[in-house]
Amino acid sequence: MATLQNDVNATAMLCSAECTKEMRHALTSSSSTRNRRQLIRSMMDKHPHMEHMLWVDKKEPFSLGVVPSDINSLYHQHLEKAKTALSKGQPYDSGMINQNGHHYMVMATPDPDRSNKGSGLIGLVRQDIVRQVERHQRRNLRLVPYPSEGRYRTESVEPGTTKDITVENGEDNGNSSHYHINEVVVKFKNEPEADRLQTIQKDINAQEVKRLGYTYVFRSKSMNAEQMMDYFNTNCQPQYVEPHYLYLTNTKDFDTDSSKLTPIVPNDSLYSDYQWNLPSIETERGWNVTKGSDQVVVAVLDTGVQSDHPDLTGQLVKGINIVDKKNEPLDDVGHGTHVAGIIAASVNNNEGVAGLSWYNKIMPVKVLNGEGAGSTYSVAEGIIWATDHGAKVINMSLGNYASAQFLHDAIRYAYDNDVVLVAASGNDNTERPGFPAAYPEVFAVAATDNNRKRAPFSNYGEYIDAAAPGASIASTYKDSQYAALSGTSMASPHVAALAALIRSKNPQLKNHEVMQIMRNTSIDLGAPGKDTYFGYGQIDVARALEASSPSVLSLDRVLSLDRFKEQVKLRLAQIIKGYY
């Protein structure tokens, strides 16, 4: 319930902040009463939740819109308070007003012309988005049964049958992850206990620890390889400790210390106060490497996308409505618009929120209906359609616990055609694998909060590849609004956007190489190495983009899993041989 309340409160604040900005803009941009009236009318047309606007002025007052009858009495009570605030040159915010199942807010913005004291704009804003978010998130976070029993079957079944089965473990997609400098490879004579590992990590100021069989790879934030070798030889008497030169073939030494990159902080009006998620994964530093490319399209398989949202204008390419092919893939839920905004909301436009990518485009593929549910067939068809129409990345913030052969066939089709497939793991706090995330061709995403802790609702299991922010994420929403939502549905598009940025930086990379780069460069969280809660860790945009540079990767590119394992075994055998 705490997560739900955080989303509701954050959405209310987003609505208030965005309305305040729009009202202030209408006042500062107008030079005459006629011009002011036109700007306010245009603002109300763009934001239909602005029910009524009153320009308070001694000379030429006017009002636009209609005050709904059910709020009329309460509105006038707050109207007097708003006028009093304006007379003192102060703003006013009533907070949320609940009336007959609707949410309203009365707010006032003083005229920036200080000589016109007492004048300003008073607005009545309908905040039903708060109610919509609450209803949506109760289902999304599984606080209420959804979908309703009898309408959809969500039990796992054996492929090709209707026999119910209980699945306790997902397919093992795990593989080893290594990375370059400030690291050492250590093999202990005796396996260290958990407390001993914690002490070591503290002593060497560890940034991350990875494990491959009986061998550990330690990366330090402050010590170089030689210093760490001295530490382990002195304090641990290991079987061996060696610099970590088990790196990709034919590459030069390359330092991906993202701290050397200067953050690019966008001017989007809601960014600094509400978008904790992008700095958390080093997006601002990553933008120094690339801001994306319109040649790399991300398909969003979801509830559709609001094509004329002010913060998504120019960010979409042609999509399809699989649910009803006679209509455009418009969003009647809000979920798909929110996901699209996380990936590609216009950046640095003084409007709303910023997406991870400045230039990658969204292909809206509506596979879920007005209740946010869809059939396996519609999802599979959407995957095939997106693949055939040029999508390089597909985001699927959807899923259930039934593995369908047709869906897997569509997944394989997209994967075989070099598409990066990314999916949310689910919001049931269960180890039971969800699909399509648990398919081996799909990059499965868990959710973290603003403290880099596991989000309490996030599914987990051996199939998790990595984690990304998924708690109270601010983004675009239907009806040209903004909302804060939580869920692995919000985490997944962070990863999809990163995949698009990587492919923008280095178009020669294959899909499995992109996926491996995202694993390799994740920041290890939780238990050392890959674990069931975070996979390889939380994605790091700057590290991933630096690692994807053609100057870093060899022409042979990232090693395949089988080839990588064989080379690791060979190299470790050589190391062991050298010590005996």
Side-chain angles (χ1 to χ4, degrees):
M1 290 297 290
T3 299
L4 172 65
Q5 194 57 51
N6 288 340
D7 289 355
V8 168
N9 293 341
T11 298
M13 290 189 289
L14 285 169
C15 182
S16 176
E18 180 64 11
C19 289
T20 298
K21 187 211 73 168
E22 291 288 338
M23 291 168 65
R24 188 179 296 120
H25 175 73
L27 296 183
T28 56
S29 301
S30 56
S31 57
S32 65
T33 299
R34 180 178 179 182
N35 180 237
R36 183 175 293 116
R37 182 189 291 269
Q38 290 175 341
L39 285 171
I40 294 173
R41 168 54 65 192
S42 176
M43 175 186 71
M44 295 176 71
D45 289 343
K46 187 170 71 169
H47 300 284
H49 52 290
M50 294 181 172
E51 297 275 7
H52 183 265
M53 288 287 156
L54 173 65
W55 167 242
V56 179
D57 184 71
K58 295 178 181 178
K59 297 179 181 179
E60 299 179 88
F62 63 83
S63 65
L64 296 171
V66 177
V67 177
S69 58
D70 63 337
I71 193 68
N72 189 62
S73 177
L74 284 173
Y75 168 69
H76 281 89
Q77 293 178 29
H78 287 282
L79 179 62
E80 293 307 312
K81 296 178 182 179
K83 288 181 177 179
T84 300
L86 289 179
S87 69
K88 300 176 182 179
Q90 298 174 351
Y92 178 76
D93 188 331
S94 67
M96 199 183 312
I97 305 169
N98 299 322
Q99 184 71 9
N100 294 334
H102 295 282
H103 300 291
Y104 295 95
M105 172 177 59
V106 177
M107 51 199 314
T109 300
D111 188 345
D113 183 358
R114 295 179 179 243
S115 65
N116 197 17
K117 190 174 181 180
S119 297
L121 186 61
I122 299 175
L124 174 63
V125 179
R126 176 171 36 85
Q127 279 194 314
D128 281 354
I129 184 175
V130 175
R131 185 183 179 193
Q132 293 168 10
V133 165
E134 181 177 10
R135 183 171 61 250
H136 174 83
Q137 287 301 84
R138 283 185 177 276
R139 298 184 300 187
N140 191 43
L141 297 173
R142 308 301 188 262
L143 298 177
V144 295
Y146 178 76
S148 302
E149 281 296 326
R151 298 202 59 191
Y152 302 95
R153 188 168 185 80
T154 57
E155 285 289 322
S156 293
V157 296
E158 293 180 354
T161 76
T162 57
K163 180 182 178 182
D164 289 345
I165 59 173
T166 301
V167 182
E168 297 178 353
N169 293 292
E171 288 189 68
D172 187 3
N173 295 330
N175 52 68
S176 301
S177 175
H178 284 68
Y179 212 63
H180 66 111
I181 67 170
N182 287 354
E183 297 184 355
V184 292
V185 179
V186 181
K187 184 170 184 179
F188 296 97
K189 293 178 180 177
N190 298 304
E191 186 72 13
E193 299 291 336
D195 292 345
R196 178 58 178 149
L197 276 176
Q198 289 182 356
T199 300
I200 290 172
Q201 291 180 68
K202 182 178 179 181
D203 288 348
I204 67 171
N205 193 20
Q207 181 176 350
E208 58 182 324
V209 179
K210 298 179 180 179
R211 181 178 177 181
L212 179 65
Y214 297 103
T215 305
Y216 287 81
V217 178
F218 293 90
R219 166 177 280 208
S220 172
K221 296 178 183 177
S222 55
M223 297 173 68
N224 60 35
E226 185 176 0
Q227 291 170 328
M228 283 193 285
M229 288 170 64
D230 289 339
Y231 169 85
F232 282 103
N233 282 324
T234 301
N235 297 282
C236 302
Q237 291 80 49
Q239 186 168 325
Y240 65 79
V241 55
E242 180 117 334
H244 187 201
Y245 44 79
L246 298 175
Y247 189 51
L248 307 181
T249 58
N250 300 322
T251 59
K252 64 177 181 179
D253 290 339
F254 187 80
D255 185 354
T256 61
D257 181 2
S258 61
S259 64
K260 295 181 179 179
L261 299 173
T262 302
I264 297 175
V265 181
N267 62 15
D268 302 78
S269 59
L270 301 175
Y271 181 82
S272 296
D273 291 334
Y274 298 100
Q275 288 192 266
W276 65 268
N277 47 315
L278 299 196
S280 174
I281 55 175
E282 297 291 359
T283 307
E284 295 172 351
R285 298 185 191 276
W287 283 334
N288 278 278
V289 182
T290 183
K291 297 183 178 73
S293 165
D294 61 7
Q295 299 302 302
V296 178
V297 174
V298 182
V300 172
L301 272 63
D302 216 291
T303 59
V305 178
Q306 182 190 339
S307 59
D308 61 350
H309 193 290
D311 226 354
L312 291 171
T313 301
Q315 298 299 95
L316 308 184
V317 299
K318 181 176 176 56
I320 188 173
N321 186 335
I322 299 293
V323 177
D324 182 357
K325 295 180 180 177
K326 294 180 293 184
N327 292 316
E328 294 296 311
L330 301 181
D331 189 2
D332 44 8
V333 177
H335 189 272
T337 301
H338 196 274
V339 168
I342 293 171
I343 298 169
S346 296
V347 185
N348 221 41
N349 65 340
N350 283 300
E351 177 85 44
V353 297
L356 266 82
S357 170
W358 296 49
Y359 303 124
N360 294 98
K361 302 300 184 183
I362 296 294
M363 176 188 290
V365 180
K366 185 175 176 65
V367 298
L368 305 179
N369 61 23
E371 294 185 355
S375 68
T376 298
Y377 189 95
S378 66
V379 176
E381 187 179 0
I383 292 169
I384 295 170
W385 190 92
T387 300
D388 289 345
H389 288 79
K392 298 298 184 183
V393 180
I394 294 178
N395 183 81
M396 297 172 286
S397 292
L398 49 83
N400 62 28
Y401 302 106
S403 175
Q405 188 62 47
F406 182 63
L407 177 59
H408 199 181
D409 286 345
I411 292 287
R412 290 192 189 100
Y413 176 79
Y415 185 83
D416 290 345
N417 280 275
D418 197 33
V419 176
V420 177
L421 297 127
V422 183
S425 62
N427 303 328
D428 295 309
N429 185 27
T430 179
E431 194 173 11
R432 190 179 189 182
F435 298 92
Y439 290 126
E441 300 85 1
V442 178
F443 197 99
V445 185
T448 52
D449 63 17
N450 60 347
N451 294 312
R452 288 191 172 183
K453 302 293 185 183
R454 172 178 169 265
F457 51 79
S458 183
N459 284 4
Y460 55 96
E462 292 295 327
Y463 68 98
I464 299 296
D465 287 289
S472 292
I473 304 300
S475 186
T476 47
Y477 203 70
K478 73 183 183 98
D479 298 328
S480 299
Q481 299 187 76
Y482 297 87
L485 302 182
S486 296
T488 57
S489 283
M490 285 63 253
S492 182
H494 287 81
V495 177
L498 175 55
L501 290 172
I502 292 172
R503 302 202 96 163
S504 300
K505 177 63 179 176
N506 190 348
Q508 302 304 313
L509 292 171
K510 299 298 183 182
N511 55 359
H512 65 91
E513 297 169 337
V514 173
M515 295 164 77
Q516 192 60 38
I517 285 172
M518 293 192 294
R519 298 184 190 107
N520 287 350
T521 55
S522 292
I523 300 299
D524 193 23
L525 300 178
K530 185 178 187 294
D531 62 60
T532 58
Y533 293 121
F534 303 98
Y536 287 93
Q538 181 170 277
I539 59 168
D540 186 301
V541 174
R543 291 180 62 186
L545 294 180
E546 284 190 302
S548 66
S549 172
S551 64
V552 179
L553 293 169
S554 69
L555 293 177
D556 290 333
R557 308 200 179 90
V558 182
L559 298 173
S560 68
L561 173 57
D562 290 338
R563 186 176 163 207
F564 179 71
K565 285 182 175 179
E566 289 301 315
Q567 292 205 9
V568 168
K569 290 178 182 178
L570 176 61
R571 184 62 193 129
L572 289 178
Q574 292 172 340
I575 293 173
I576 293 171
K577 184 177 180 180
Y579 277 81
Y580 287 92

